[in-house]
Amino acid sequence: MYFSMDLCQIESGQRYSKRLNEEQVTNLLRATCQCPHQREQDIKNIVKQHRFNSYKVVKEFRINVREDLALVDARVLTPPTLKYHGTGGESKLALGWKMIDGGKVQFWGCLCFARMDPTLFCQVLVTMCQAKGLV
């Protein structure tokens, strides 16, 4: 069977692989660039507003959608110790020392879960890396 395009619509949530226009990019960034607390509140509001447990399909499949977020165990990892090989053998990288051939990072990203400005965090990270000989 064939249907005229004006009778069809794309279901929400479908993958769109074509290039977005400027307005679409702006809307996407506005929706995704939120601080974690605001995003958490928005998620809670959506779940509460939609009352998913009252949906017929949810009832038919005996699914229960909780209004509160799931809690997961987490821990803060200790930072790794940088080591270098010098004439005196292996040693820890001391303050003020610089790597001889620290390498070059062309592409990188940052995922910051801290309660601080991610832009500032990235600037400090780049400055520290450059000071230690990483490009």
Side-chain angles (χ1 to χ4, degrees):
M1 294 182 99
Y2 294 97
F3 294 98
S4 172
M5 284 180 55
D6 55 329
L7 297 176
C8 300
Q9 68 181 47
I10 297 174
E11 284 292 317
S12 63
Q14 296 295 310
R15 186 169 182 263
Y16 184 78
S17 60
K18 294 193 170 83
R19 188 173 186 89
L20 302 176
N21 64 35
E22 283 186 41
E23 182 182 353
Q24 291 169 323
V25 170
T26 302
N27 290 338
L28 179 65
L29 290 175
R30 189 176 293 126
T32 58
C33 291
Q34 295 177 317
C35 69
H37 297 295
Q38 182 61 48
R39 181 177 223 102
E40 176 184 352
Q41 194 58 48
D42 288 349
I43 291 169
K44 287 179 177 180
N45 290 340
I46 288 169
V47 172
K48 189 176 278 190
Q49 176 185 357
H50 284 279
R51 296 175 40 228
F52 292 110
N53 287 326
S54 65
Y55 286 21
K56 181 181 177 186
V57 174
V58 172
K59 288 179 180 178
E60 286 177 2
F61 282 95
R62 297 182 191 148
I63 297 172
N64 181 28
V65 180
R66 293 184 359 215
E67 289 189 8
D68 54 326
L69 298 177
L71 297 177
V72 295
D73 290 331
R75 63 187 173 104
V76 177
L77 300 174
T78 56
T81 303
L82 295 177
K83 293 183 180 181
Y84 72 98
H85 290 278
T87 54
E90 190 175 279
S91 183
K92 291 181 183 176
L93 188 62
L95 290 176
W97 286 47
K98 204 171 186 177
M99 294 180 199
I100 294 171
D101 185 15
K104 184 175 184 178
V105 179
Q106 292 181 319
F107 305 101
W108 64 282
C110 177
L111 182 61
C112 179
F113 293 104
R115 292 184 179 166
M116 66 180 294
D117 178 16
T119 304
L120 176 63
F121 175 81
C122 290
Q123 288 170 348
V124 171
L125 178 65
V126 168
T127 302
M128 185 213 47
C129 289
Q130 289 172 340
K132 296 297 176 191
L134 296 173
V135 179

